[in-house]
Amino acid sequence: MAAPVDAVVGRGAVEACALDEILEALKLLLSPGGSGSSSLQITKHDVLLAAFKSNLSALDSKFLMGTQWTKLKLLRDEVASKAEWTQTSEDITWSFTAQTLLLLLCLKETMIRLAADFNPGKPNPRTAEAAPALSPDTLSISQQKIVQSALQFVVTLGVCPYLIPGVGMPLRCRTEFGAVVQDVVCPDASPHTARRLYTSCRVLLDIAQHASLGSLVFCRHFGDIAAGLCQLGFCPTKRKSPTPEEEVLTEEERALSRRALRDMLDQVYQPLVVRELLVLQGGPLQQPCTDVKMQLRCRAPAWLRRLCGQLLSERLMRPNGVQAVVRGILEGAGAGAAGGSDAEVTAADWKKCDLIAKILSSCPQQCLSPESYYRLICPQILDLFHFRDKLTERQFQRVATTTFITLSRERPELAAKYLLPPVLAALHRCMDSAEIPESDMVPGTILVTEEELNRCIEDVFKVCVVGNEPLPVLLDSLLPVLRVLFSLFCFTRQSVSHLRSLCQDILLWILGKLERMKAITSLKGFAGLDKTVPSLHPQCQFRAATRGGIMITIKEATNHEDEDEALYQKVSSEQSQVEHLGDLLSHCQECGLAGDFFIFCLKELTHLAVENEAEVKAEPFSSINLLELEQKQTLLVESQEQKLLVLQLLAVLCERMSEQIFTNITQVVDFVAATLQRACINLAREAESTVQSQTLSMAMGLVAVMLGGAVQLKSSDFAVLKQLLPLLEKVSNIYPDPVIQELATDLRITISTHGAFATESVSVAAQSTLKRKDPEGKIEKQQQISHDRHTGVAQSHLEQQQNHEKSPQMGQEYNTPFIPKEDSEPSTITNKKSGSITTEQLQEVLLSAYDPQIPTRAAALRTLSQWIEQREAKALERQERLLQIFLENLEHEDTFVYLSAIQGDMVSKYREPLIHTFLRGARDPDSTHRASSLANLGELCQRLDFFLGPVVHEVTACLIAVAKTDHDVQVRRAAIHVIVVLLRGLSQKATEVLRDVLKDLYHLLKYVVRLEPDDVAKLHAQLALEELDEIMRNFLFPPQKLEKKIVVLP
């Protein structure tokens, strides 16, 4: 009976044992110092051993003498009887470790039984907000600290001292207390060190089976336990088989350690596993040291490095293994579980990203084949792009980008199979080459969702623009979807979309990285010139989505009534695409792509014209049947469409591009060659025009400018220029204009001699072209000096020009492009004071104003206008003659001449007739005339400045009357706009010029803002009030000028 009674009593004691008793016993064993770490770390060997003996004796006395821990003693004895490991030893450190392990096992058993007996009552529905009852096995924060201290002692005394060099972190490298422990441990005493290590690891794993205790064990000590299990299960034994008496661990125990290690690795948080395995795998190789006390951390042994590599590869190939590896490395670098305070520093560390990329791109040895490995991890790599955690998003995306680029570089064939197709799947699905299932061809069906398209564009942006490495496999994969991407870009320009900038950056990056011919081909596809370029499926369309994005759907069926509308939409869409292409190319000028495409369009236009003429003359219509005739007409229509499209492209490019469209000599030469070739073709077709002549003159002038010293030419540049020699010879032979013939011949001579000889006509053409570009004569003096040096005629140029001017053929037979002296010597006029021009110079410019060459005439008119503005005495003496010249050129059909003529400033003299004319026009019955007269009145008043004074009251009265009484809204708008222009033009002078009527104008503007029904007129009035407010503020509160006056006293 005794045995059953004892068993019953023992089980009852276990059930009745409280957590507080076990934790109090642990606290007594670990004293002094509460947690036992801070005070023990500063003790020496003998003091530490004495403390261990004292605490063990106190615990035994408490169990034997007192009645308070009777139940705990029964529980400890029960647990000790079941234990199969030695609990006492001559080494006091192991005895201390064994007692600590026993108490921890008692704690685990008690917590399990308390949780099993816990039966919480039903919650009261009236007090639903009350917190649920805690389980009795829950540990408080102070109790958790006691348990953590006990676990730390167990690991420090029972695991770390028995690890061989290179396995784990040595105790000496950790803390001062660890160094003391390493010295007090007696490894020669029983039990054997391997047995101690095996016991400690097995008992800790047993304790960790409880969820609450397991988190405390693995959170702090996972790495040490993993190191111990690796050593127990995988450390090679001696080659000679040990005898049963010499064998410390059996093969079964070693196999059990290996299984325990793998089970633990599968259960613990995977990033933690990865981080600890990387630590175990190795640090840098240190110099070996014979002194044990000064032993540094050794390099991990080869078997451990191989084992950790194999285990890491297994972690990587598990589900979500890529994410675990990335988190393990980044969090171990200081990012923390959720980013931590060093998250930004880690995100900026590209070296770690490169390290992760190398790890992920290296195929493990145990993998069957590289293809199976990449097939497994590539989807996980793409998932890294889509993390939305703000703290870890940047790190994951950078790792994903770097890994993507690394894989594409090292394994392009596998990247093209497993990485790029998933990224571009949304775009491939809607291409014209895609086979869309019949079930998806229902009108209105969403082919690509908003989320899919957003993810596709964002991923391509991260890989291309952020990664910024133009790998061939990447460019080849993106090339087929460029047309679809451009169509999406055009759609985003119709409204606000966050995808617009992404699409633009992607297109600019790809076009800049592609080979130039491939880029030109892509641009042809964008413009619709190349139908072979893959594009959006004809049945697909972009549509705005509900959450602000874009989706791709199947078009609605079009009935016959909507065919005209569909045709209009098609034409307008093509027009907008050309304009968007021009906007896109405006960002490609520095790389030279815009210039190359412009030259291509010029050549394409010439090519289409030649093809069209050849097809028309090929065969008469009477000799072919109806089917052939229809096919021929279709081809002609397509050819005309191509020609119109090219013309439209050229018009848009000319409008959107700046003067820096050409970035090198080769592009300029190609442009000139295309112009010359087109001129020769037009001459052969007898289709010469004024525009063609001007274009040809400009192109040849560009060559003259380059040869004249505007560009420092090298020998290689002359090799490029020699491509123009056959075309220049052809122009000199067949062009009807003798001036252009002579210039073409002279250019051939200059190019052939590499600039050693240059005639006067080349210099004149160069200066004429420069004058068109800079009509105000702001060409730098250094450029002129360089021009004179390269032409070799600097000293005799002025004399030759004067002799040419005095030639008897200067009358009506004069037909060469005249350049006045200020064109040839741009610094001689603009730098001179008033009265510096001579009668001969004035006469020359007056003759040039009647020159048949339009650029020469316009340049002369602008020169006369400039002289008048500078108040040149010689010009003012003949102002009647100048006015007649300007009036005659106002009727010229060319806008270049017309605009040059209207810049003569003669309003001061003809103020009175102009003012009265415009005031009378303001009362005309026709509202259009009234509005026009008021607009002219505004321009006139703006130019008169202080000359407006005598008539300011008349003008003001007219404006007030019109603004308040006129029935036509356009006229009222014009009246208010006159005030805006007047205030804006006069600026700070308004307080002087308009001082008598400023108050009346202010009242009028306030009246319009309050009572005018037209919003545009109100806007004009508000703008005028703002101008007036700025003027008065500056008048009343002038800006402070920090000036210091120095007065010299007599």
Side-chain angles (χ1 to χ4, degrees):
M1 296 295 293
V5 172
D6 292 341
V8 172
V9 172
R11 190 175 68 183
V14 173
E15 293 175 354
C17 182
L19 292 178
D20 294 337
E21 297 179 7
I22 304 174
L23 293 170
E24 188 176 352
L26 282 173
K27 188 174 182 181
L28 175 62
L29 187 61
L30 302 178
S31 62
S35 64
S37 61
S38 61
S39 62
L40 291 178
Q41 286 182 358
I42 62 174
T43 61
K44 299 300 181 182
H45 310 85
D46 51 350
V47 178
L48 181 60
L49 292 175
F52 286 157
K53 293 178 181 179
S54 174
N55 290 346
L56 287 173
S57 299
L59 182 64
D60 290 339
S61 300
K62 193 77 171 179
F63 279 132
L64 294 175
M65 298 176 60
T67 59
Q68 182 180 0
W69 288 355
T70 304
K71 299 175 182 178
L72 177 58
K73 182 177 182 302
L74 293 174
L75 176 59
R76 190 192 69 160
D77 293 341
E78 180 183 354
V79 172
S81 64
K82 296 178 181 179
E84 300 176 354
W85 37 272
T86 305
Q87 302 168 16
T88 58
S89 173
E90 296 178 0
D91 187 359
I92 191 64
T93 59
W94 176 247
S95 298
F96 184 86
T97 303
Q99 293 301 318
T100 307
L101 288 173
L102 287 175
L103 290 177
L104 288 173
L105 285 173
C106 292
L107 178 65
K108 175 208 168 188
E109 292 295 331
T110 302
M111 293 175 69
I112 291 175
R113 299 191 181 189
L114 288 175
D117 297 338
F118 177 59
N119 186 17
K122 295 182 179 180
N124 188 355
R126 297 183 180 181
T127 59
E129 68 279 359
L134 285 175
S135 176
D137 66 337
T138 304
L139 297 176
S140 65
I141 295 178
S142 60
Q143 291 173 339
Q144 289 182 14
K145 290 183 178 180
I146 296 174
V147 176
Q148 287 175 350
S149 299
L151 292 172
Q152 183 175 357
F153 270 99
V154 171
V155 173
T156 304
L157 297 174
V159 177
C160 295
Y162 311 120
L163 297 175
I164 63 176
V167 178
M169 179 74 70
L171 277 176
R172 298 182 184 278
C173 299
R174 301 191 183 190
T175 61
E176 184 180 355
F177 176 71
V180 175
V181 169
Q182 188 73 47
D183 292 333
V184 300
V185 170
C186 184
D188 297 332
S190 178
H192 193 274
T193 55
R195 178 60 60 183
R196 297 185 191 185
L197 178 61
Y198 178 80
T199 300
S200 300
C201 292
R202 292 294 300 168
V203 175
L204 286 174
L205 291 177
D206 189 10
I207 296 171
Q209 291 180 0
H210 190 278
S212 300
L213 296 177
S215 62
L216 297 177
V217 172
F218 293 135
C219 181
R220 298 280 183 89
H221 310 292
F222 171 80
D224 292 325
I225 298 174
L229 292 175
C230 289
Q231 179 175 321
L232 292 170
F234 296 93
C235 181
T237 58
K238 296 180 180 180
R239 294 184 179 180
K240 182 180 179 181
S241 300
T243 62
E245 293 78 11
E246 297 175 347
E247 188 177 25
V248 179
L249 296 179
T250 65
E251 185 60 34
E252 182 181 357
E253 289 174 332
R254 289 171 58 86
L256 187 62
S257 299
R258 290 192 289 267
R259 289 197 301 271
L261 175 63
R262 295 189 180 278
D263 293 340
M264 182 181 68
L265 295 180
D266 293 339
Q267 295 173 5
V268 180
Y269 179 58
Q270 291 302 298
L272 176 62
V273 174
V274 172
R275 184 169 69 246
E276 294 299 336
L277 288 177
L278 287 172
V279 174
L280 279 177
Q281 191 176 26
L285 179 63
Q286 303 288 347
Q287 293 292 335
C289 183
T290 57
D291 187 1
V292 178
K293 295 183 178 180
M294 299 300 295
Q295 179 185 6
L296 297 175
R297 183 181 180 185
C298 299
R299 188 183 184 189
W303 65 266
L304 181 59
R305 295 197 303 270
R306 291 193 299 268
L307 174 63
C308 292
Q310 180 181 355
L311 295 176
L312 283 171
S313 300
E314 293 176 0
R315 301 304 103 191
L316 178 61
M317 299 179 67
R318 286 167 57 91
N320 297 322
V322 171
Q323 183 183 152
V325 172
V326 175
R327 285 188 182 274
I329 296 177
L330 292 180
E331 292 174 6
S341 59
D342 296 331
E344 292 297 325
V345 177
T346 305
D349 193 354
W350 283 98
K351 292 183 179 180
K352 292 184 178 61
C353 297
D354 293 337
L355 172 63
I356 299 174
K358 291 179 180 178
I359 293 174
L360 297 179
S361 59
S362 300
C363 180
Q365 294 180 355
Q366 63 267 29
C367 192
L368 296 178
S369 66
E371 185 166 359
S372 62
Y373 171 72
Y374 286 111
R375 183 171 58 248
L376 179 66
I377 69 163
C378 283
Q380 299 185 46
I381 293 173
L382 297 179
D383 290 338
L384 298 179
F385 282 121
H386 310 135
F387 276 86
R388 290 296 178 258
D389 184 2
K390 293 183 179 179
L391 294 175
T392 58
E393 180 180 3
R394 290 183 59 190
Q395 297 103 307
F396 277 70
Q397 290 183 1
R398 286 188 174 182
V399 169
T401 300
T402 309
T403 308
F404 196 110
I405 296 299
T406 304
L407 288 175
S408 301
R409 184 193 313 114
E410 298 181 356
R411 296 279 187 173
E413 69 284 353
L414 296 178
K417 189 174 182 180
Y418 297 111
L419 274 181
L420 289 164
V423 172
L424 303 175
L427 298 178
H428 281 293
R429 201 181 308 162
C430 59
M431 291 175 57
D432 53 2
S433 58
E435 296 182 1
I436 303 177
E438 291 293 334
S439 58
D440 293 338
M441 292 300 293
V442 180
T445 302
I446 299 177
L447 199 60
V448 178
T449 63
E450 176 184 4
E451 182 180 2
E452 289 175 334
L453 191 59
N454 289 347
R455 178 174 293 188
C456 172
I457 300 303
E458 291 173 359
D459 290 352
V460 174
F461 176 83
K462 294 167 188 174
V463 172
C464 296
V465 182
V466 178
N468 195 24
E469 187 168 346
L471 299 173
V473 63
L474 185 59
L475 296 177
D476 293 342
S477 299
L478 290 171
L479 197 59
V481 300
L482 283 187
R483 178 72 183 277
V484 179
L485 195 61
F486 177 73
S487 301
L488 176 60
F489 168 70
C490 295
F491 184 81
T492 60
R493 297 293 298 269
Q494 299 177 11
S495 60
V496 178
S497 176
H498 69 283
L499 296 179
R500 180 190 303 174
S501 60
L502 299 181
C503 293
Q504 177 174 316
D505 292 341
I506 293 171
L507 289 171
L508 292 177
W509 183 87
I510 297 175
L511 292 174
K513 302 300 181 182
L514 282 174
E515 297 178 4
R516 190 48 51 93
M517 290 308 301
K518 291 184 178 179
I520 295 294
T521 303
S522 300
L523 291 175
K524 289 168 57 179
F526 295 171
L529 293 175
D530 190 351
K531 303 299 183 181
T532 61
V533 177
S535 60
L536 188 68
H537 196 280
Q539 297 299 322
C540 296
Q541 64 177 355
F542 296 105
R543 286 185 58 186
T546 55
R547 291 182 294 178
I550 299 173
M551 58 185 179
I552 303 177
T553 64
I554 301 298
K555 290 182 179 180
E556 300 290 341
T558 305
N559 53 31
H560 295 288
E561 298 178 357
D562 296 336
E563 288 182 355
D564 294 340
E565 179 65 21
L567 179 60
Y568 171 76
Q569 293 294 337
K570 179 179 180 296
V571 174
S572 60
S573 175
E574 293 175 353
Q575 171 71 23
S576 62
Q577 284 191 357
V578 172
E579 294 177 356
H580 298 327
L581 179 59
D583 294 335
L584 190 67
L585 285 173
S586 64
H587 300 281
C588 302
Q589 298 188 73
E590 294 183 1
C591 66
L593 179 59
D596 288 341
F597 187 67
F598 182 79
I599 295 170
F600 160 77
C601 291
L602 288 176
K603 294 180 179 179
E604 185 70 12
L605 184 63
T606 303
H607 177 68
L608 288 174
V610 173
E611 278 190 349
N612 189 22
E613 183 179 1
E615 290 177 357
V616 171
K617 297 181 178 180
E619 187 176 2
F621 290 161
S622 57
S623 61
I624 57 178
N625 55 38
L626 292 178
L627 180 59
E628 293 176 350
L629 178 61
E630 183 178 358
Q631 294 176 351
K632 193 175 186 63
Q633 290 296 330
T634 302
L635 293 176
L636 288 176
V637 170
E638 292 178 355
S639 177
Q640 291 298 324
E641 289 179 354
Q642 291 282 91
K643 188 173 182 180
L644 291 175
L645 185 56
V646 173
L647 287 173
Q648 184 181 3
L649 270 173
L650 287 172
V652 171
L653 291 177
C654 292
E655 179 183 356
R656 305 293 171 89
M657 299 299 111
S658 66
E659 59 185 5
Q660 285 83 21
I661 185 173
F662 297 139
T663 58
N664 51 60
I665 297 294
T666 304
Q667 288 185 337
V668 177
V669 171
D670 289 341
F671 167 73
V672 174
T675 305
L676 294 177
Q677 185 177 7
R678 180 165 177 79
C680 294
I681 293 175
N682 287 336
L683 286 174
R685 297 166 54 190
E686 299 180 355
E688 183 192 2
S689 63
T690 304
V691 176
Q692 181 68 37
S693 178
Q694 295 177 7
T695 306
L696 186 60
S697 300
M698 178 192 65
M700 297 173 69
L702 286 176
V703 181
V705 168
M706 290 191 296
L707 296 173
V711 180
Q712 297 294 333
L713 297 177
K714 305 175 183 178
S715 58
S716 59
D717 297 331
F718 279 101
V720 177
L721 286 168
K722 287 183 178 179
Q723 302 175 11
L724 302 176
L725 294 179
L727 292 172
L728 289 173
E729 182 180 5
K730 192 172 183 179
V731 170
S732 63
N733 293 331
I734 66 174
Y735 206 81
D737 191 343
V739 177
I740 293 181
Q741 287 183 1
E742 180 184 359
L743 180 59
T745 302
D746 294 342
L747 287 176
R748 287 181 59 242
I749 297 173
T750 307
I751 295 174
S752 300
T753 60
H754 286 207
F757 176 79
T759 61
E760 180 185 353
S761 61
V762 176
S763 304
V764 172
Q767 291 298 329
S768 176
T769 305
L770 290 175
K771 187 63 178 179
R772 296 175 203 167
K773 182 178 178 181
D774 189 11
E776 297 181 1
K778 296 182 180 179
I779 305 169
E780 296 182 359
K781 189 174 182 179
Q782 290 82 359
Q783 181 175 328
Q784 178 66 24
I785 295 173
S786 175
H787 159 70
D788 292 336
R789 184 186 303 118
H790 281 270
T791 55
V793 292
Q795 297 180 353
S796 61
H797 180 64
L798 183 61
E799 290 80 359
Q800 293 177 359
Q801 180 71 15
Q802 291 176 349
N803 294 334
H804 177 71
E805 292 159 2
K806 295 179 181 179
S807 61
Q809 291 83 8
M810 185 176 289
Q812 297 179 352
E813 298 178 359
Y814 180 76
N815 56 5
T816 59
F818 176 79
I819 304 298
K821 282 190 177 180
E822 67 272 15
D823 292 348
S824 178
E825 299 286 343
S827 61
T828 60
I829 295 300
T830 56
N831 294 335
K832 291 182 180 180
K833 297 182 180 179
S834 178
S836 59
I837 64 172
T838 62
T839 305
E840 291 79 5
Q841 291 175 335
L842 178 61
Q843 184 65 26
E844 293 166 3
V845 177
L846 290 177
L847 290 174
S848 297
Y850 293 96
D851 194 277
Q853 295 290 332
I854 292 176
T856 304
R857 178 182 296 191
L861 292 174
R862 290 179 180 269
T863 303
L864 292 174
S865 175
Q866 181 182 356
W867 284 347
I868 294 175
E869 292 175 356
Q870 294 176 353
R871 315 299 295 174
E872 292 289 349
K874 296 293 184 180
L876 295 178
E877 291 175 359
R878 307 188 65 176
Q879 57 183 348
E880 295 292 339
R881 174 61 175 163
L882 297 182
L883 177 61
Q884 182 180 359
I885 293 175
F886 287 132
L887 292 176
E888 291 175 356
N889 284 281
L890 286 177
E891 301 178 359
H892 199 281
E893 60 182 5
D894 193 278
T895 56
F896 191 29
V897 176
Y898 168 75
L899 292 176
S900 301
I902 64 174
Q903 295 182 0
D905 191 5
M906 305 293 290
V907 294
S908 58
K909 180 175 181 180
Y910 297 95
R911 178 193 61 185
E912 297 295 336
L914 290 174
I915 285 286
H916 290 295
T917 300
F918 295 146
L919 290 177
R920 289 175 60 88
R923 296 187 299 172
D924 193 271
D926 190 352
S927 61
T928 305
H929 291 173
R930 296 200 302 272
S932 178
S933 298
L934 289 173
N936 291 329
L937 182 63
E939 289 293 328
L940 178 64
C941 293
Q942 186 178 5
R943 293 181 177 274
L944 284 176
D945 284 352
F946 290 100
F947 290 100
L948 184 62
V951 294
V952 67
H953 292 281
E954 299 179 27
V955 173
T956 305
C958 174
L959 295 177
I960 294 174
V962 172
K964 289 184 176 181
T965 61
D966 201 292
H967 299 290
D968 191 273
V969 65
Q970 296 293 340
V971 180
R972 297 199 305 273
R973 291 177 184 176
I976 303 302
H977 186 64
V978 171
I979 303 177
V980 177
V981 173
L982 187 60
L983 293 175
R984 189 172 297 167
L986 293 176
S987 186
Q988 297 303 316
K989 294 181 289 186
T991 55
E992 301 180 41
V993 178
L994 305 176
R995 62 179 180 273
D996 296 333
V997 297
L998 205 56
K999 183 177 180 181
D1000 297 333
L1001 294 177
Y1002 174 75
H1003 288 163
L1004 172 63
L1005 295 174
K1006 297 294 290 185
Y1007 169 84
V1008 173
V1009 171
R1010 290 196 308 267
L1011 301 177
E1012 173 61 45
D1014 181 56
D1015 292 335
V1016 178
K1018 283 185 177 181
L1019 177 61
H1020 286 315
Q1022 188 63 40
L1023 292 175
L1025 286 173
E1026 292 176 2
E1027 292 286 343
L1028 186 58
D1029 178 72
E1030 183 68 20
I1031 292 170
M1032 296 309 299
R1033 285 180 183 272
N1034 293 332
F1035 177 74
L1036 296 175
F1037 309 102
Q1040 297 291 336
K1041 294 183 179 180
L1042 299 178
E1043 296 180 349
K1044 186 175 182 180
K1045 296 183 179 180
I1046 300 177
V1047 180
V1048 181
L1049 298 176

